């Protein structure tokens, strides 16, 4: 699991998680890791907006992210990127139609 923020607007971070083995899926490990990192980023680094962008086809991941408090949005990736990175990352990893943009806001 990792996060990055260099390409996003202020007080925002993007999360990324990969499960090494299918045997680890469906046991809550990913959900727990997402919640723990999300809370840390908010409490220690004052991140107010988290973003995660899985493939639309990864239904299991999307459901896990929803359990962790993320909601799908119709906003494009461009909305969250600094101007410098809009051309490079604006379509998402799976293209505009293939990327599910999910966000989690913390109350300010």
């Amino acid at each position: 699991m990792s996060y990055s923020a260099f390409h996003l607007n202020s007080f925002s971070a993007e999360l990324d998680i990969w499960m090494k083995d299918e045997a680890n899926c469906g046991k809550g490990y990913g959900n727990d890791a997402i919640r723990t990192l999300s809370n840390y980023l908010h409490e220690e680094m004052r991140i107010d907006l988290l973003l995660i962008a899985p493939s639309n086809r990864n239904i299991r991941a999307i459901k896990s992210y929803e359990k962790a408090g993320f909601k799908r949005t119709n906003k494009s990736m461009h909305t969250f990127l600094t101007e410098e990175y809009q051309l490079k990352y604006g379509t998402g990893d799976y293209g505009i139609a293939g990327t599910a943009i999910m966000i989690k806001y913390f109350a300010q």
Side-chain angles (χ1 to χ4, degrees):
M1 174 148 210
S2 65
Y3 76 93
S4 58
F6 68 91
H7 60 306
L8 299 173
N9 296 320
S10 300
F11 305 104
S12 301
E14 182 175 6
L15 304 183
D16 199 8
I17 184 169
W18 293 89
M19 298 298 268
K20 179 182 179 193
D21 191 319
E22 181 75 21
N24 294 321
C25 295
K27 297 183 178 177
Y29 302 143
N31 190 281
D32 184 50
I34 290 168
R35 287 177 186 263
T36 301
L37 181 57
S38 296
N39 289 334
Y40 172 82
L41 291 171
H42 176 65
E43 292 168 10
E44 299 297 325
M45 303 183 76
R46 302 298 175 232
I47 299 295
D48 294 323
L49 171 69
L50 294 171
L51 171 72
I52 198 161
S55 166
N56 276 323
R57 295 184 303 171
N58 195 343
I59 303 302
R60 183 168 31 189
I62 290 170
K63 287 180 181 179
S64 178
Y65 305 150
E66 289 172 338
K67 286 181 187 177
F70 286 80
K71 296 185 185 325
R72 288 185 81 145
T73 182
N74 291 329
K75 295 180 181 180
S76 72
M77 189 67 143
H78 283 94
T79 306
F80 307 101
L81 298 169
T82 62
E83 187 175 339
E84 178 182 3
Y85 290 100
Q86 287 183 358
L87 280 176
K88 188 171 185 176
Y89 300 123
T91 60
D93 290 340
Y94 307 100
I96 292 172
T99 303
I101 307 298
M102 302 183 74
I103 56 174
K104 180 176 182 176
Y105 282 106
F106 288 94
Q108 296 180 5

